[in-house]
């Protein structure tokens, strides 16, 4: 393959060789950042907005630096397929002009990695080439109080004071496994997390690339350590287009903007100034040292801490990706400090466009791994500065809440030029005429049912994912470990017994190729879990609340049935084709919550092979992952098959 075949396009104008030339320095980031995005597209300067101070402990000025747009890679046409080479490289990345460059593991020397742009229907072969050097550039530490939550919220500010180093992380060598998240490809090309490539080695992946026009992302999937390797910088975007999308004449070019969101923390030097070193810091709660989900104080958009984007007073398209390890984003757009109702119009979800635009009522809630394709019209805000903020239930939008790790709610700033609105784009009534919203009546009459239950920490002090099977309750005493009874809206009680919990437990879920199954996810834990299924895509049929007081957390079984309470409402970005769904409330969490959620999804299996299903909180991934096998139906029904 010819590595120079791919080239960058808007906005940097750098050619492919320039990417390689600057890939191991902060140079590429500096080049793209030095020419503010907006000026290169000839629009008038904004009259409002500018840098703002952040909390003094965070040491960086907000909205100081322009949003950086990742360079673009386009595959080379090889006749019946396209080809591309992507290099994994250690690089110094500028994340804010007021701190030194940060050493990261990257794709092609930039963070996030280059945006791979393809045409749907063109099979793609990618050579992922490992040129990483050195051990992982992340300092992993933890802290905690023996009596519960740490009394000092400052422990999640920058630096490592009062923490202890997590053993073994500093010595992690540069091994990798690339997963193109959301690509419907067979198990052999999916980036199996134990098929690692070391420096000098390559991963060869063939992607059918025949799904809908959509926003996918690629990231490292190394077993046991993805929470550190993705945090180190191994993530990037993948876009596919098709004729249906092109016909919509959506905002494009400089007005089709990726927003890759993530949170990060950094070390400080002896003087207390920020140093160019990533810190992964988690809290361990109480004498049992329960792992508290990772949350860092700095929000990065496209690899820049609290950037700004200058926009014209017209329509823009934003492809929003939550690439955080664990953080849940509840996004709102603020003008003059107040939410703008319905400002975000969702036109697409994880796996493609939906049938019609849906205005977001309240916040756009994206858990780790989820994507949303969103349109925003800035024409009513000429000369103003707007902010995209992260919010919490019960906390005023734009306000911080130190006890819940929302130290700085601001995500980024939009500076709207003071000029006459331009552009003739009209929000279409129909986005995707081919998208069909599934109902239970659309499912094959013989579809299989699966049950997956998420449970809070038990004797292992780790969150758990239980695969279940329905059993006859006769002879079972309640509560019994691993046995759950669920009473649905019609009053029917089902008895479920755990069949597997850890990754190495036997008997994987095995589905038939081209089949449709109904999976029921029941959350008995406090925290929400973003559930991700490889080798498949799904639609969410329902989100219901259940009374979980019947679950005995000591016995780890139900003393009385987990009972239906009320039908929930699906959010705009949950109504399309998905590969990640948040299981659990996006609101304020209480440790003694009596309410859980049951989410029902219709899963389709268009490819074959061995994959996994798991929680996409990377701090949970190792503990909440199970194998998944998709086989041709004829193999499953042959005389030689053994379950």
């Amino acid at each position: 393959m010819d590595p120079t075949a791919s080239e960058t396009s808007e906005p940097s104008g750098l050619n492919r060789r320039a990417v390689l030339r600057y890939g191991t320095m902060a140079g590429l980031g500096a080049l793209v950042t030095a020419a503010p995005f907006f000026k290169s597209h000839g629009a008038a300067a904004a009259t409002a907005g500018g840098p703002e101070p952040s909390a003094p402990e965070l040491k960086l000025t907000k909205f100081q630096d322009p949003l950086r747009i990742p360079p673009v890679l386009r595959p080379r046409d090889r006749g019946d397929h396209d080809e591309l080479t992507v290099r994994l490289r250690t690089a110094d990345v500028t994340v804010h002009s007021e701190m030194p460059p940060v050493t990261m593991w990257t794709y092609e020397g930039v963070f996030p990695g280059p945006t791979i742009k393809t045409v749907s229907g063109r099979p793609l072969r990618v050579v992922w080439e490992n040129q990483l050097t050195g051990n992982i550039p992340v300092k992993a530490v933890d802290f905690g109080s023996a009596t519960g939550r740490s009394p000092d919220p400052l422990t999640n500010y920058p630096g490592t004071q009062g923490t202890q180093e997590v053993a073994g992380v500093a010595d992690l060598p540069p091994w990798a496994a690339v997963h193109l998240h959301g690509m419907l490809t067979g198990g052999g090309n999916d980036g199996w997390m134990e098929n690692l490539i070391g420096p000098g080695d390559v991963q060869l992946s063939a992607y059918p690339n025949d799904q809908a026009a959509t926003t996918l992302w690629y990231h490292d999937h190394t077993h046991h350590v993805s929470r550190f390797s993705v945090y180190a910088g191994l993530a990037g975007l993948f876009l596919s287009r098709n004729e249906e999308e092109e016909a919509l004449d959506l905002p494009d070019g400089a007005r089709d903007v990726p927003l890759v969101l993530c949170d990060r923390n950094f070390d400080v030097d002896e003087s207390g100034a920020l140093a160019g070193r990533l810190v992964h810091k988690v809290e361990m709660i109480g004498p049992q040292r329960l792992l508290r989900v990772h949350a860092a104080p700095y929000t990065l958009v496209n690899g820049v801490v609290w950037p700004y984007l200058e926009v014209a007073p017209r329509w823009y398209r934003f492809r929003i990706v939550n690439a955080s390890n664990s953080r849940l984003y509840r996004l709102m757009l603020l003008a003059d400090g107040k939410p703008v109702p319905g400002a975000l119009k969702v036109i697409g979800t994880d796996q493609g466009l939906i049938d019609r635009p849906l205005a977001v009522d309240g916040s756009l809630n994206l858990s780790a791994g989820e994507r949303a394709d969103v349109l925003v019209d800035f024409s009513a805000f000429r000369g103003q500065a707007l902010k995209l903020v992260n919010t919490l239930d019960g906390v005023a939008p734009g306000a911080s809440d130190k006890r819940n790790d929302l130290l700085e709610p601001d995500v980024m700033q939009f500076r709207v030029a003071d000029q006459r609105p331009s552009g003739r784009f009209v929000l279409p009534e129909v986005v995707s005429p081919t998208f069909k919203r599934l109902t239970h009546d659309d499912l094959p009459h013989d579809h299989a049912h699966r049950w997956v239950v998420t449970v809070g920490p038990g004797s292992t002090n780790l969150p758990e994912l239980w695969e279940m099977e329905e059993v006859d309750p006769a002879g079972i005493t309640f509560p019994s470990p691993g046995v759950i009874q669920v009473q649905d809206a019609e009053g029917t009680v089902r008895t479920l017994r755990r069949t597997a919990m850890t990754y190495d437990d036997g008997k994987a879920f095995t589905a038939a190729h081209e089949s449709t199954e109904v999976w029921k996810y029941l959350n008995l834990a406090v925290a929400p879990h973003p559930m991700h299924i490889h080798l498949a895509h799904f639609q969410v049929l329902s989100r219901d609340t259940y009374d979980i007081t019947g679950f005995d957390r000591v016995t780890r079984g139900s003393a009385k049935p987990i009972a239906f309470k009320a039908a929930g409402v699906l959010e705009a970005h949950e109504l399309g084709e998905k590969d990640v769904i948040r299981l659990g409330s996006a609101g304020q969490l209480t440790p003694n919550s009596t309410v859980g959620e049951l989410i029902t999804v219709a899963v389709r299996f268009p490819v074959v092979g061995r994959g996994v299903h798991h929680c996409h909180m990377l701090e949970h991934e190792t503990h909440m992952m199970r194998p998944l096998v998709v086989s041709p139906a004829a193999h499953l029904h042959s005389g030689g098959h053994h379950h």
Side-chain angles (χ1 to χ4, degrees):
M1 293 191 185
D2 178 3
T4 63
S6 345
E7 57 185 34
T8 64
S9 65
E10 76 279 355
S12 66
L14 295 171
N15 63 27
R16 171 72 174 152
R17 296 183 188 278
V19 174
L20 300 181
R21 179 181 169 196
Y22 291 103
T24 55
M25 314 185 293
L28 179 58
L31 279 171
V32 179
T33 305
F37 172 88
F38 200 54
K39 291 178 183 172
S40 66
H41 294 89
T47 60
E52 295 180 9
S54 61
E57 300 89 342
L58 296 181
K59 307 173 190 293
L60 296 177
T61 306
K62 293 185 297 188
F63 319 136
Q64 175 84 14
D65 300 322
L67 181 73
R68 191 162 55 224
I69 308 298
V72 169
L73 293 185
R74 299 183 190 277
R76 177 181 285 277
D77 185 338
R78 294 295 190 187
D80 61 348
H81 68 277
D82 294 340
E83 287 188 356
L84 185 64
T85 297
V86 181
R87 297 167 178 78
L88 287 66
R89 312 183 66 162
T90 304
D92 292 327
V93 177
T94 299
V95 300
H96 195 285
S97 56
E98 294 175 347
M99 65 179 283
V102 178
T103 302
M104 302 181 86
W105 281 355
T106 73
Y107 299 100
E108 291 296 355
V110 292
F111 174 73
T115 299
I116 299 172
K117 287 193 174 181
T118 69
V119 176
S120 183
R122 293 282 303 166
L124 176 65
R125 298 176 187 173
V126 179
V127 178
W128 303 98
E129 189 174 306
N130 188 346
Q131 294 185 1
L132 295 171
T133 56
N135 291 341
I136 197 163
V138 174
K139 188 171 187 177
V141 297
D142 63 31
F143 65 92
S145 164
T147 56
R149 283 293 310 275
S150 172
D152 181 8
L154 298 181
T155 42
N156 211 38
Y157 281 113
T160 59
Q161 184 176 2
T163 67
Q164 57 189 21
E165 190 162 358
V166 178
V169 177
D171 300 324
L172 287 174
W175 293 81
V178 186
H179 172 51
L180 178 44
H181 178 126
M183 175 60 70
L184 300 173
T185 190
N189 296 290
D190 192 47
W192 181 254
M193 64 273 183
E194 290 158 322
N195 291 344
L196 304 178
I197 55 168
D201 201 357
V202 297
Q203 174 183 321
L204 306 176
S205 296
Y207 303 116
N209 196 28
D210 60 359
Q211 57 215 78
T214 191
T215 304
L216 308 180
W217 65 302
Y218 56 95
H219 60 82
D220 191 65
H221 212 274
T222 303
H223 199 28
H224 300 303
V225 301
S226 60
R227 63 192 182 278
F228 304 122
S229 58
V230 175
Y231 195 79
L234 291 176
L237 280 192
F238 180 102
L239 307 183
S240 64
R241 305 188 75 122
N242 64 11
E243 291 180 358
E244 179 182 271
E245 183 195 35
E246 296 284 356
L248 292 170
D249 201 23
L250 296 169
D252 61 2
R255 293 181 297 117
D256 180 357
V257 184
L259 299 179
V260 181
L261 310 184
C262 63
D263 57 343
R264 294 291 185 270
N265 206 343
F266 308 106
D267 211 346
V268 296
D269 62 21
E270 293 175 359
S271 73
L274 286 167
R277 183 171 178 81
L278 288 165
V279 169
H280 180 281
K281 188 192 304 191
V282 294
E283 183 176 3
M284 309 299 281
I285 303 172
Q288 299 86 15
R289 291 183 63 73
L290 301 177
L291 171 69
R292 186 159 178 273
V293 170
H294 176 273
Y298 298 95
T299 296
L300 282 67
V301 188
N302 295 356
V304 181
V305 180
W306 305 315
Y308 69 86
L309 175 65
E310 292 180 325
V311 296
R314 51 192 301 192
W315 284 92
Y316 279 71
R317 180 183 188 180
F318 296 106
R319 301 169 186 263
I320 308 175
V321 182
N322 184 351
S324 292
N325 277 29
S326 296
R327 186 181 285 283
L328 170 68
Y329 286 98
R330 303 175 75 255
L331 300 170
M332 287 187 183
L333 193 66
L334 304 187
D336 293 325
K338 300 180 182 64
V340 183
L344 307 179
K345 307 283 195 299
V346 173
I347 60 167
T349 60
D350 298 348
Q351 286 280 333
L353 300 174
I354 54 178
D355 51 349
R356 67 188 193 280
L358 295 172
V360 175
D361 181 24
S363 56
L364 174 64
N365 305 316
L366 295 180
S367 59
E370 285 189 291
R371 287 91 68 205
D373 202 339
V374 173
L375 296 177
V376 176
D377 182 7
F378 291 106
S379 61
F381 303 100
R382 53 181 292 188
Q384 296 185 46
L386 284 68
K387 293 199 293 191
L388 188 67
V389 300
N390 191 16
T391 64
L392 276 175
D393 232 8
V395 178
S400 64
D401 187 304
K402 295 181 179 181
R403 293 304 305 147
N404 282 287
D405 291 326
L406 193 63
L407 307 177
E408 180 51 73
D410 290 344
V411 173
M412 67 177 293
Q413 182 190 64
F414 298 99
R415 301 177 185 174
V416 187
D418 188 8
Q419 62 186 42
R420 291 176 59 185
S422 60
R424 296 184 181 87
F425 176 76
V426 176
L427 189 68
E429 289 185 21
V430 175
V431 178
S432 172
T434 59
F435 172 77
K436 184 179 190 303
R437 179 88 185 118
L438 292 179
T439 67
H440 208 275
D441 294 338
D442 297 315
L443 306 181
H445 67 277
D446 58 347
H447 64 266
H449 285 80
R450 311 271 187 192
W451 283 84
V452 178
V453 178
T454 61
V455 186
S459 59
T460 60
N461 292 337
L462 298 168
E464 296 172 355
L465 181 149
W466 296 1
E467 292 180 351
M468 315 293 285
E469 65 179 2
E470 193 168 346
V471 295
D472 186 334
I476 299 176
T477 58
F478 296 94
S480 284
V483 179
I484 304 289
Q485 287 193 309
V486 181
Q487 181 177 333
D488 64 20
E490 283 75 45
T492 303
V493 176
R494 289 178 171 81
T495 304
L496 309 171
R497 181 174 61 200
R498 186 178 66 218
T499 58
M501 179 173 71
T502 69
Y503 173 69
D504 291 325
D505 288 345
K507 195 179 180 184
F509 279 172
T510 301
H513 180 224
E514 300 289 5
S515 70
T516 299
E517 297 186 349
V518 170
W519 286 30
K520 291 184 176 291
Y521 285 110
L522 176 63
N523 187 24
L524 301 179
V526 173
H529 297 282
M531 307 309 296
H532 175 44
I533 306 176
H534 290 225
L535 314 183
H537 55 141
F538 56 80
Q539 283 192 30
V540 186
L541 300 179
S542 61
R543 175 193 289 280
D544 301 320
T545 56
Y546 273 69
D547 178 353
I548 62 173
T549 54
F551 182 64
D552 186 316
R553 299 183 185 279
V554 177
T555 306
R556 316 290 282 169
S558 58
K560 64 178 183 179
I562 309 301
F564 174 85
K565 276 178 69 81
V569 177
L570 296 177
E571 299 168 26
H573 72 284
E574 297 175 338
L575 291 169
E577 294 289 338
K578 299 276 291 169
D579 51 57
V580 179
I581 183 62
R582 185 193 76 246
L583 173 63
S585 170
Q588 195 73 285
L589 302 175
T590 55
N592 300 314
S593 177
T594 62
V595 178
E597 280 195 339
L598 178 73
I599 288 184
T600 303
V601 300
V603 193
R604 281 156 296 172
F605 299 96
V607 294
V608 299
R610 185 175 176 86
V612 286
H613 68 99
H614 60 86
C615 174
H616 213 286
M617 282 185 172
L618 300 187
E619 279 71 35
H620 289 178
E621 190 176 76
T622 296
H623 318 297
M624 300 180 71
M625 178 183 290
R626 285 284 299 148
L628 168 69
V629 177
V630 183
S631 288
H635 290 204
L636 290 176
H637 302 139
S638 67
H641 177 74
H642 298 282
H643 287 281

